Amino acid sequence: MWTFGSERGLAAAAWSSVAALFATALLFFWVQNTFRPVGGEISWAKLFWLMYAVLFWFVLPLLLVADPRLSGAWRRPFTVLAALMLIRGVIEPWMLYVALNWSPWYGIGHDIVCMATLAILGWTLRERRTGAVERTVFVHLIVTTALFSPEIYFAWYMQAHFTTTGESAIYFVPDDPRYSDVLTVTAAVVVFLSAYLPLFLYRWLHGATDRTRPATS
């Protein structure tokens, strides 16, 4: 399995990925709200939630899998998550933009599978938090797993309030007072992740593993 040759390379890739994803999100916001392709207008809260979902469920897992400091056991949950998200990343865009037959229930089913899988794999790691990096990654695994809860709520809200099939399908919640309840929840999650992300990145990229800690008598 490929890993970074140095911690400096890993850190550069992590921060660059965050910056690139942020720029891509802004471009997506402009395209979606200017040209109004299928899916409808997207609010700022939903834009940043979408960005964080991609970051936490695909980009960061790939980077964690490539962390040379982590053992295979610690990489396993993120390997599985990246694989599950890759499958979704292939199937879901086709349903959204080609077949136009996406249902939020598909997403809810996938979310439940991911959440249960990560919970099981995380449980097996509870006694292996022997270094600063491992402890940081364990907390991050909990956060990553917990994020499927608001996503399930968001998907349920979509099926209850919008049509998600056909040429008039709506995939994103617009910035409209009628949807203030879900937008408030989304904004709260975004604020939490905005505070958590830099703290996690710093502790993960600059922490010590059980193999790199100085020996104690």
Side-chain angles (χ1 to χ4, degrees):
M1 184 179 295
W2 179 84
T3 59
F4 282 92
S6 68
E7 295 177 22
R8 179 176 296 181
L10 174 62
W15 290 109
S16 297
S17 297
V18 172
L21 191 56
F22 181 80
T24 302
L26 295 180
L27 177 61
F28 177 79
F29 180 85
W30 177 75
V31 170
Q32 192 68 31
N33 288 357
T34 300
F35 299 101
R36 302 294 178 89
V38 64
E41 179 185 351
I42 185 171
S43 65
W44 281 109
K46 282 299 174 184
L47 174 77
F48 284 108
W49 163 251
L50 179 61
M51 180 190 75
Y52 280 131
V54 173
L55 179 64
F56 277 74
W57 293 336
F58 190 73
V59 176
L60 288 178
L62 290 177
L63 291 171
L64 283 157
V65 168
D67 186 343
R69 301 166 300 169
L70 295 177
S71 67
W74 282 100
R75 297 179 193 174
R76 189 171 299 115
F78 301 101
T79 302
V80 173
L81 177 59
L84 289 171
M85 283 298 163
L86 180 61
I87 294 172
R88 183 169 181 168
V90 171
I91 297 175
E92 193 165 272
W94 175 270
M95 300 179 71
L96 290 168
Y97 297 108
V98 179
L100 302 178
N101 63 350
W102 177 75
S103 168
W105 292 110
Y106 300 147
I108 290 173
H110 186 268
D111 293 337
I112 292 173
V113 170
C114 290
M115 195 174 189
T117 302
L118 291 181
I120 293 171
L121 292 174
W123 179 258
T124 67
L125 294 170
R126 67 192 187 282
E127 302 297 335
R128 300 194 183 192
R129 296 167 287 170
T130 52
V133 167
E134 287 83 0
R135 290 191 292 273
T136 297
V137 171
F138 186 79
V139 172
H140 181 69
L141 181 58
I142 293 174
V143 172
T144 301
T145 304
L147 286 181
F148 285 101
S149 294
E151 172 64 6
I152 290 172
Y153 165 65
F154 298 152
W156 172 85
Y157 190 93
M158 291 300 298
Q159 65 83 29
H161 294 83
F162 300 100
T163 297
T164 61
T165 58
E167 295 184 359
S168 60
I170 299 297
Y171 304 141
F172 312 111
V173 179
D175 191 7
D176 189 310
R178 291 178 296 173
Y179 312 119
S180 60
D181 47 354
V182 72
L183 290 175
T184 299
V185 174
T186 306
V189 175
V190 166
V191 168
F192 166 77
L193 293 177
S194 297
Y196 166 80
L197 179 62
L199 178 62
F200 162 70
L201 289 176
Y202 179 81
R203 292 177 63 86
W204 166 46
L205 296 171
H206 302 287
T209 66
D210 57 344
R211 296 188 301 278
T212 59
R213 288 183 305 166
T216 57
S217 57

mmCIF file with all atom_site columns, all heavy atoms in Angstrom, residues 106-127:
data_model
loop_
_atom_site.group_PDB
_atom_site.id
_atom_site.type_symbol
_atom_site.label_atom_id
_atom_site.label_alt_id
_atom_site.label_comp_id
_atom_site.label_asym_id
_atom_site.label_entity_id
_atom_site.label_seq_id
_atom_site.pdbx_PDB_ins_code
_atom_site.Cartn_x
_atom_site.Cartn_y
_atom_site.Cartn_z
_atom_site.occupancy
_atom_site.B_iso_or_equiv
_atom_site.pdbx_formal_charge
_atom_site.auth_seq_id
_atom_site.auth_comp_id
_atom_site.auth_asym_id
_atom_site.auth_atom_id
_atom_site.pdbx_PDB_model_num
ATOM 1   N N   . TYR A 1 106 ? -31.623 5.872  -1.006 1.00 0.00 ? 106 TYR A N   1
ATOM 2   C CA  . TYR A 1 106 ? -30.378 5.192  -1.355 1.00 0.00 ? 106 TYR A CA  1
ATOM 3   C C   . TYR A 1 106 ? -29.237 5.719  -0.488 1.00 0.00 ? 106 TYR A C   1
ATOM 4   O O   . TYR A 1 106 ? -28.419 4.955  0.031  1.00 0.00 ? 106 TYR A O   1
ATOM 5   C CB  . TYR A 1 106 ? -30.032 5.403  -2.832 1.00 0.00 ? 106 TYR A CB  1
ATOM 6   C CG  . TYR A 1 106 ? -31.060 4.886  -3.807 1.00 0.00 ? 106 TYR A CG  1
ATOM 7   C CD1 . TYR A 1 106 ? -31.270 5.536  -5.026 1.00 0.00 ? 106 TYR A CD1 1
ATOM 8   C CD2 . TYR A 1 106 ? -31.810 3.751  -3.524 1.00 0.00 ? 106 TYR A CD2 1
ATOM 9   C CE1 . TYR A 1 106 ? -32.212 5.067  -5.932 1.00 0.00 ? 106 TYR A CE1 1
ATOM 10  C CE2 . TYR A 1 106 ? -32.755 3.281  -4.420 1.00 0.00 ? 106 TYR A CE2 1
ATOM 11  C CZ  . TYR A 1 106 ? -32.961 3.940  -5.631 1.00 0.00 ? 106 TYR A CZ  1
ATOM 12  O OH  . TYR A 1 106 ? -33.882 3.483  -6.523 1.00 0.00 ? 106 TYR A OH  1
ATOM 13  N N   . GLY A 1 107 ? -29.184 7.046  -0.373 1.00 0.00 ? 107 GLY A N   1
ATOM 14  C CA  . GLY A 1 107 ? -28.146 7.660  0.445  1.00 0.00 ? 107 GLY A CA  1
ATOM 15  C C   . GLY A 1 107 ? -28.259 7.274  1.901  1.00 0.00 ? 107 GLY A C   1
ATOM 16  O O   . GLY A 1 107 ? -27.248 7.011  2.567  1.00 0.00 ? 107 GLY A O   1
ATOM 17  N N   . ILE A 1 108 ? -29.480 7.224  2.411  1.00 0.00 ? 108 ILE A N   1
ATOM 18  C CA  . ILE A 1 108 ? -29.683 6.845  3.811  1.00 0.00 ? 108 ILE A CA  1
ATOM 19  C C   . ILE A 1 108 ? -29.194 5.425  4.049  1.00 0.00 ? 108 ILE A C   1
ATOM 20  O O   . ILE A 1 108 ? -28.529 5.141  5.058  1.00 0.00 ? 108 ILE A O   1
ATOM 21  C CB  . ILE A 1 108 ? -31.170 6.992  4.187  1.00 0.00 ? 108 ILE A CB  1
ATOM 22  C CG1 . ILE A 1 108 ? -31.546 8.489  4.240  1.00 0.00 ? 108 ILE A CG1 1
ATOM 23  C CG2 . ILE A 1 108 ? -31.457 6.325  5.531  1.00 0.00 ? 108 ILE A CG2 1
ATOM 24  C CD1 . ILE A 1 108 ? -33.024 8.739  4.448  1.00 0.00 ? 108 ILE A CD1 1
ATOM 25  N N   . GLY A 1 109 ? -29.496 4.520  3.133  1.00 0.00 ? 109 GLY A N   1
ATOM 26  C CA  . GLY A 1 109 ? -29.041 3.142  3.267  1.00 0.00 ? 109 GLY A CA  1
ATOM 27  C C   . GLY A 1 109 ? -27.525 3.050  3.289  1.00 0.00 ? 109 GLY A C   1
ATOM 28  O O   . GLY A 1 109 ? -26.936 2.331  4.116  1.00 0.00 ? 109 GLY A O   1
ATOM 29  N N   . HIS A 1 110 ? -26.889 3.789  2.388  1.00 0.00 ? 110 HIS A N   1
ATOM 30  C CA  . HIS A 1 110 ? -25.432 3.788  2.338  1.00 0.00 ? 110 HIS A CA  1
ATOM 31  C C   . HIS A 1 110 ? -24.849 4.409  3.598  1.00 0.00 ? 110 HIS A C   1
ATOM 32  O O   . HIS A 1 110 ? -23.838 3.920  4.140  1.00 0.00 ? 110 HIS A O   1
ATOM 33  C CB  . HIS A 1 110 ? -24.975 4.560  1.095  1.00 0.00 ? 110 HIS A CB  1
ATOM 34  C CG  . HIS A 1 110 ? -23.492 4.505  0.868  1.00 0.00 ? 110 HIS A CG  1
ATOM 35  N ND1 . HIS A 1 110 ? -22.632 5.456  1.366  1.00 0.00 ? 110 HIS A ND1 1
ATOM 36  C CD2 . HIS A 1 110 ? -22.722 3.616  0.193  1.00 0.00 ? 110 HIS A CD2 1
ATOM 37  C CE1 . HIS A 1 110 ? -21.395 5.161  1.000  1.00 0.00 ? 110 HIS A CE1 1
ATOM 38  N NE2 . HIS A 1 110 ? -21.417 4.053  0.292  1.00 0.00 ? 110 HIS A NE2 1
ATOM 39  N N   . ASP A 1 111 ? -25.471 5.465  4.102  1.00 0.00 ? 111 ASP A N   1
ATOM 40  C CA  . ASP A 1 111 ? -25.002 6.113  5.329  1.00 0.00 ? 111 ASP A CA  1
ATOM 41  C C   . ASP A 1 111 ? -25.041 5.147  6.512  1.00 0.00 ? 111 ASP A C   1
ATOM 42  O O   . ASP A 1 111 ? -24.108 5.109  7.330  1.00 0.00 ? 111 ASP A O   1
ATOM 43  C CB  . ASP A 1 111 ? -25.870 7.333  5.653  1.00 0.00 ? 111 ASP A CB  1
ATOM 44  C CG  . ASP A 1 111 ? -25.716 8.443  4.628  1.00 0.00 ? 111 ASP A CG  1
ATOM 45  O OD1 . ASP A 1 111 ? -24.680 8.486  3.942  1.00 0.00 ? 111 ASP A OD1 1
ATOM 46  O OD2 . ASP A 1 111 ? -26.656 9.256  4.504  1.00 0.00 ? 111 ASP A OD2 1
ATOM 47  N N   . ILE A 1 112 ? -26.102 4.389  6.620  1.00 0.00 ? 112 ILE A N   1
ATOM 48  C CA  . ILE A 1 112 ? -26.240 3.444  7.726  1.00 0.00 ? 112 ILE A CA  1
ATOM 49  C C   . ILE A 1 112 ? -25.170 2.367  7.652  1.00 0.00 ? 112 ILE A C   1
ATOM 50  O O   . ILE A 1 112 ? -24.565 1.988  8.666  1.00 0.00 ? 112 ILE A O   1
ATOM 51  C CB  . ILE A 1 112 ? -27.654 2.820  7.733  1.00 0.00 ? 112 ILE A CB  1
ATOM 52  C CG1 . ILE A 1 112 ? -28.693 3.891  8.083  1.00 0.00 ? 112 ILE A CG1 1
ATOM 53  C CG2 . ILE A 1 112 ? -27.732 1.651  8.706  1.00 0.00 ? 112 ILE A CG2 1
ATOM 54  C CD1 . ILE A 1 112 ? -30.126 3.421  7.956  1.00 0.00 ? 112 ILE A CD1 1
ATOM 55  N N   . VAL A 1 113 ? -24.903 1.868  6.444  1.00 0.00 ? 113 VAL A N   1
ATOM 56  C CA  . VAL A 1 113 ? -23.856 0.857  6.260  1.00 0.00 ? 113 VAL A CA  1
ATOM 57  C C   . VAL A 1 113 ? -22.503 1.421  6.677  1.00 0.00 ? 113 VAL A C   1
ATOM 58  O O   . VAL A 1 113 ? -21.733 0.771  7.407  1.00 0.00 ? 113 VAL A O   1
ATOM 59  C CB  . VAL A 1 113 ? -23.816 0.378  4.798  1.00 0.00 ? 113 VAL A CB  1
ATOM 60  C CG1 . VAL A 1 113 ? -22.572 -0.474 4.544  1.00 0.00 ? 113 VAL A CG1 1
ATOM 61  C CG2 . VAL A 1 113 ? -25.061 -0.425 4.460  1.00 0.00 ? 113 VAL A CG2 1
ATOM 62  N N   . CYS A 1 114 ? -22.192 2.639  6.228  1.00 0.00 ? 114 CYS A N   1
ATOM 63  C CA  . CYS A 1 114 ? -20.911 3.265  6.572  1.00 0.00 ? 114 CYS A CA  1
ATOM 64  C C   . CYS A 1 114 ? -20.801 3.488  8.072  1.00 0.00 ? 114 CYS A C   1
ATOM 65  O O   . CYS A 1 114 ? -19.758 3.201  8.681  1.00 0.00 ? 114 CYS A O   1
ATOM 66  C CB  . CYS A 1 114 ? -20.766 4.592  5.834  1.00 0.00 ? 114 CYS A CB  1
ATOM 67  S SG  . CYS A 1 114 ? -20.530 4.457  4.054  1.00 0.00 ? 114 CYS A SG  1
ATOM 68  N N   . MET A 1 115 ? -21.847 3.997  8.661  1.00 0.00 ? 115 MET A N   1
ATOM 69  C CA  . MET A 1 115 ? -21.843 4.300  10.092 1.00 0.00 ? 115 MET A CA  1
ATOM 70  C C   . MET A 1 115 ? -21.629 3.029  10.922 1.00 0.00 ? 115 MET A C   1
ATOM 71  O O   . MET A 1 115 ? -20.822 3.012  11.862 1.00 0.00 ? 115 MET A O   1
ATOM 72  C CB  . MET A 1 115 ? -23.158 4.980  10.471 1.00 0.00 ? 115 MET A CB  1
ATOM 73  C CG  . MET A 1 115 ? -23.157 5.658  11.817 1.00 0.00 ? 115 MET A CG  1
ATOM 74  S SD  . MET A 1 115 ? -24.715 6.579  12.045 1.00 0.00 ? 115 MET A SD  1
ATOM 75  C CE  . MET A 1 115 ? -24.326 7.472  13.559 1.00 0.00 ? 115 MET A CE  1
ATOM 76  N N   . ALA A 1 116 ? -22.342 1.969  10.582 1.00 0.00 ? 116 ALA A N   1
ATOM 77  C CA  . ALA A 1 116 ? -22.224 0.716  11.323 1.00 0.00 ? 116 ALA A CA  1
ATOM 78  C C   . ALA A 1 116 ? -20.837 0.101  11.145 1.00 0.00 ? 116 ALA A C   1
ATOM 79  O O   . ALA A 1 116 ? -20.234 -0.392 12.108 1.00 0.00 ? 116 ALA A O   1
ATOM 80  C CB  . ALA A 1 116 ? -23.303 -0.264 10.859 1.00 0.00 ? 116 ALA A CB  1
ATOM 81  N N   . THR A 1 117 ? -20.321 0.154  9.928  1.00 0.00 ? 117 THR A N   1
ATOM 82  C CA  . THR A 1 117 ? -19.001 -0.419 9.652  1.00 0.00 ? 117 THR A CA  1
ATOM 83  C C   . THR A 1 117 ? -17.912 0.303  10.422 1.00 0.00 ? 117 THR A C   1
ATOM 84  O O   . THR A 1 117 ? -17.033 -0.323 11.045 1.00 0.00 ? 117 THR A O   1
ATOM 85  C CB  . THR A 1 117 ? -18.696 -0.359 8.142  1.00 0.00 ? 117 THR A CB  1
ATOM 86  O OG1 . THR A 1 117 ? -19.707 -1.072 7.420  1.00 0.00 ? 117 THR A OG1 1
ATOM 87  C CG2 . THR A 1 117 ? -17.340 -0.965 7.838  1.00 0.00 ? 117 THR A CG2 1
ATOM 88  N N   . LEU A 1 118 ? -17.959 1.630  10.412 1.00 0.00 ? 118 LEU A N   1
ATOM 89  C CA  . LEU A 1 118 ? -16.950 2.399  11.138 1.00 0.00 ? 118 LEU A CA  1
ATOM 90  C C   . LEU A 1 118 ? -17.064 2.200  12.646 1.00 0.00 ? 118 LEU A C   1
ATOM 91  O O   . LEU A 1 118 ? -16.049 2.160  13.350 1.00 0.00 ? 118 LEU A O   1
ATOM 92  C CB  . LEU A 1 118 ? -17.080 3.884  10.794 1.00 0.00 ? 118 LEU A CB  1
ATOM 93  C CG  . LEU A 1 118 ? -16.703 4.299  9.373  1.00 0.00 ? 118 LEU A CG  1
ATOM 94  C CD1 . LEU A 1 118 ? -16.867 5.802  9.198  1.00 0.00 ? 118 LEU A CD1 1
ATOM 95  C CD2 . LEU A 1 118 ? -15.294 3.869  9.025  1.00 0.00 ? 118 LEU A CD2 1
ATOM 96  N N   . ALA A 1 119 ? -18.281 2.080  13.138 1.00 0.00 ? 119 ALA A N   1
ATOM 97  C CA  . ALA A 1 119 ? -18.471 1.859  14.575 1.00 0.00 ? 119 ALA A CA  1
ATOM 98  C C   . ALA A 1 119 ? -17.852 0.528  15.006 1.00 0.00 ? 119 ALA A C   1
ATOM 99  O O   . ALA A 1 119 ? -17.195 0.437  16.049 1.00 0.00 ? 119 ALA A O   1
ATOM 100 C CB  . ALA A 1 119 ? -19.956 1.901  14.919 1.00 0.00 ? 119 ALA A CB  1
ATOM 101 N N   . ILE A 1 120 ? -18.047 -0.497 14.183 1.00 0.00 ? 120 ILE A N   1
ATOM 102 C CA  . ILE A 1 120 ? -17.489 -1.821 14.505 1.00 0.00 ? 120 ILE A CA  1
ATOM 103 C C   . ILE A 1 120 ? -15.964 -1.783 14.458 1.00 0.00 ? 120 ILE A C   1
ATOM 104 O O   . ILE A 1 120 ? -15.283 -2.273 15.373 1.00 0.00 ? 120 ILE A O   1
ATOM 105 C CB  . ILE A 1 120 ? -18.043 -2.875 13.532 1.00 0.00 ? 120 ILE A CB  1
ATOM 106 C CG1 . ILE A 1 120 ? -19.544 -3.073 13.767 1.00 0.00 ? 120 ILE A CG1 1
ATOM 107 C CG2 . ILE A 1 120 ? -17.295 -4.199 13.687 1.00 0.00 ? 120 ILE A CG2 1
ATOM 108 C CD1 . ILE A 1 120 ? -20.223 -3.918 12.713 1.00 0.00 ? 120 ILE A CD1 1
ATOM 109 N N   . LEU A 1 121 ? -15.419 -1.204 13.408 1.00 0.00 ? 121 LEU A N   1
ATOM 110 C CA  . LEU A 1 121 ? -13.964 -1.138 13.278 1.00 0.00 ? 121 LEU A CA  1
ATOM 111 C C   . LEU A 1 121 ? -13.355 -0.231 14.352 1.00 0.00 ? 121 LEU A C   1
ATOM 112 O O   . LEU A 1 121 ? -12.269 -0.523 14.866 1.00 0.00 ? 121 LEU A O   1
ATOM 113 C CB  . LEU A 1 121 ? -13.592 -0.631 11.881 1.00 0.00 ? 121 LEU A CB  1
ATOM 114 C CG  . LEU A 1 121 ? -13.926 -1.576 10.729 1.00 0.00 ? 121 LEU A CG  1
ATOM 115 C CD1 . LEU A 1 121 ? -13.641 -0.914 9.383  1.00 0.00 ? 121 LEU A CD1 1
ATOM 116 C CD2 . LEU A 1 121 ? -13.142 -2.883 10.854 1.00 0.00 ? 121 LEU A CD2 1
ATOM 117 N N   . GLY A 1 122 ? -14.050 0.838  14.694 1.00 0.00 ? 122 GLY A N   1
ATOM 118 C CA  . GLY A 1 122 ? -13.563 1.712  15.749 1.00 0.00 ? 122 GLY A CA  1
ATOM 119 C C   . GLY A 1 122 ? -13.527 1.010  17.100 1.00 0.00 ? 122 GLY A C   1
ATOM 120 O O   . GLY A 1 122 ? -12.604 1.223  17.898 1.00 0.00 ? 122 GLY A O   1
ATOM 121 N N   . TRP A 1 123 ? -14.517 0.167  17.351 1.00 0.00 ? 123 TRP A N   1
ATOM 122 C CA  . TRP A 1 123 ? -14.569 -0.571 18.615 1.00 0.00 ? 123 TRP A CA  1
ATOM 123 C C   . TRP A 1 123 ? -13.343 -1.461 18.784 1.00 0.00 ? 123 TRP A C   1
ATOM 124 O O   . TRP A 1 123 ? -12.806 -1.613 19.890 1.00 0.00 ? 123 TRP A O   1
ATOM 125 C CB  . TRP A 1 123 ? -15.840 -1.407 18.676 1.00 0.00 ? 123 TRP A CB  1
ATOM 126 C CG  . TRP A 1 123 ? -15.994 -2.219 19.923 1.00 0.00 ? 123 TRP A CG  1
ATOM 127 C CD1 . TRP A 1 123 ? -15.765 -3.553 20.080 1.00 0.00 ? 123 TRP A CD1 1
ATOM 128 C CD2 . TRP A 1 123 ? -16.400 -1.737 21.209 1.00 0.00 ? 123 TRP A CD2 1
ATOM 129 N NE1 . TRP A 1 123 ? -16.006 -3.948 21.367 1.00 0.00 ? 123 TRP A NE1 1
ATOM 130 C CE2 . TRP A 1 123 ? -16.401 -2.856 22.089 1.00 0.00 ? 123 TRP A CE2 1
ATOM 131 C CE3 . TRP A 1 123 ? -16.759 -0.488 21.689 1.00 0.00 ? 123 TRP A CE3 1
ATOM 132 C CZ2 . TRP A 1 123 ? -16.742 -2.743 23.426 1.00 0.00 ? 123 TRP A CZ2 1
ATOM 133 C CZ3 . TRP A 1 123 ? -17.108 -0.376 23.040 1.00 0.00 ? 123 TRP A CZ3 1
ATOM 134 C CH2 . TRP A 1 123 ? -17.102 -1.490 23.887 1.00 0.00 ? 123 TRP A CH2 1
ATOM 135 N N   . THR A 1 124 ? -12.850 -2.029 17.691 1.00 0.00 ? 124 THR A N   1
ATOM 136 C CA  . THR A 1 124 ? -11.678 -2.906 17.758 1.00 0.00 ? 124 THR A CA  1
ATOM 137 C C   . THR A 1 124 ? -10.395 -2.135 18.061 1.00 0.00 ? 124 THR A C   1
ATOM 138 O O   . THR A 1 124 ? -9.390  -2.750 18.431 1.00 0.00 ? 124 THR A O   1
ATOM 139 C CB  . THR A 1 124 ? -11.494 -3.673 16.440 1.00 0.00 ? 124 THR A CB  1
ATOM 140 O OG1 . THR A 1 124 ? -11.154 -2.762 15.391 1.00 0.00 ? 124 THR A OG1 1
ATOM 141 C CG2 . THR A 1 124 ? -12.762 -4.420 16.055 1.00 0.00 ? 124 THR A CG2 1
ATOM 142 N N   . LEU A 1 125 ? -10.423 -0.805 17.904 1.00 0.00 ? 125 LEU A N   1
ATOM 143 C CA  . LEU A 1 125 ? -9.230  0.004  18.114 1.00 0.00 ? 125 LEU A CA  1
ATOM 144 C C   . LEU A 1 125 ? -9.184  0.684  19.479 1.00 0.00 ? 125 LEU A C   1
ATOM 145 O O   . LEU A 1 125 ? -8.210  1.373  19.790 1.00 0.00 ? 125 LEU A O   1
ATOM 146 C CB  . LEU A 1 125 ? -9.132  1.082  17.022 1.00 0.00 ? 125 LEU A CB  1
ATOM 147 C CG  . LEU A 1 125 ? -8.906  0.589  15.599 1.00 0.00 ? 125 LEU A CG  1
ATOM 148 C CD1 . LEU A 1 125 ? -9.084  1.740  14.612 1.00 0.00 ? 125 LEU A CD1 1
ATOM 149 C CD2 . LEU A 1 125 ? -7.525  -0.028 15.452 1.00 0.00 ? 125 LEU A CD2 1
ATOM 150 N N   . ARG A 1 126 ? -10.204 0.474  20.286 1.00 0.00 ? 126 ARG A N   1
ATOM 151 C CA  . ARG A 1 126 ? -10.330 1.256  21.522 1.00 0.00 ? 126 ARG A CA  1
ATOM 152 C C   . ARG A 1 126 ? -9.169  1.015  22.483 1.00 0.00 ? 126 ARG A C   1
ATOM 153 O O   . ARG A 1 126 ? -8.853  1.888  23.298 1.00 0.00 ? 126 ARG A O   1
ATOM 154 C CB  . ARG A 1 126 ? -11.666 0.941  22.202 1.00 0.00 ? 126 ARG A CB  1
ATOM 155 C CG  . ARG A 1 126 ? -11.789 -0.477 22.738 1.00 0.00 ? 126 ARG A CG  1
ATOM 156 C CD  . ARG A 1 126 ? -13.201 -0.820 23.132 1.00 0.00 ? 126 ARG A CD  1
ATOM 157 N NE  . ARG A 1 126 ? -13.291 -2.112 23.786 1.00 0.00 ? 126 ARG A NE  1
ATOM 158 C CZ  . ARG A 1 126 ? -13.267 -3.270 23.125 1.00 0.00 ? 126 ARG A CZ  1
ATOM 159 N NH1 . ARG A 1 126 ? -13.143 -3.279 21.814 1.00 0.00 ? 126 ARG A NH1 1
ATOM 160 N NH2 . ARG A 1 126 ? -13.357 -4.410 23.793 1.00 0.00 ? 126 ARG A NH2 1
ATOM 161 N N   . GLU A 1 127 ? -8.506  -0.162 22.408 1.00 0.00 ? 127 GLU A N   1
ATOM 162 C CA  . GLU A 1 127 ? -7.398  -0.457 23.321 1.00 0.00 ? 127 GLU A CA  1
ATOM 163 C C   . GLU A 1 127 ? -6.043  -0.155 22.695 1.00 0.00 ? 127 GLU A C   1
ATOM 164 O O   . GLU A 1 127 ? -5.010  -0.446 23.306 1.00 0.00 ? 127 GLU A O   1
ATOM 165 C CB  . GLU A 1 127 ? -7.454  -1.937 23.728 1.00 0.00 ? 127 GLU A CB  1
ATOM 166 C CG  . GLU A 1 127 ? -8.745  -2.370 24.401 1.00 0.00 ? 127 GLU A CG  1
ATOM 167 C CD  . GLU A 1 127 ? -8.978  -1.651 25.727 1.00 0.00 ? 127 GLU A CD  1
ATOM 168 O OE1 . GLU A 1 127 ? -7.967  -1.210 26.330 1.00 0.00 ? 127 GLU A OE1 1
ATOM 169 O OE2 . GLU A 1 127 ? -10.130 -1.521 26.152 1.00 0.00 ? 127 GLU A OE2 1
#
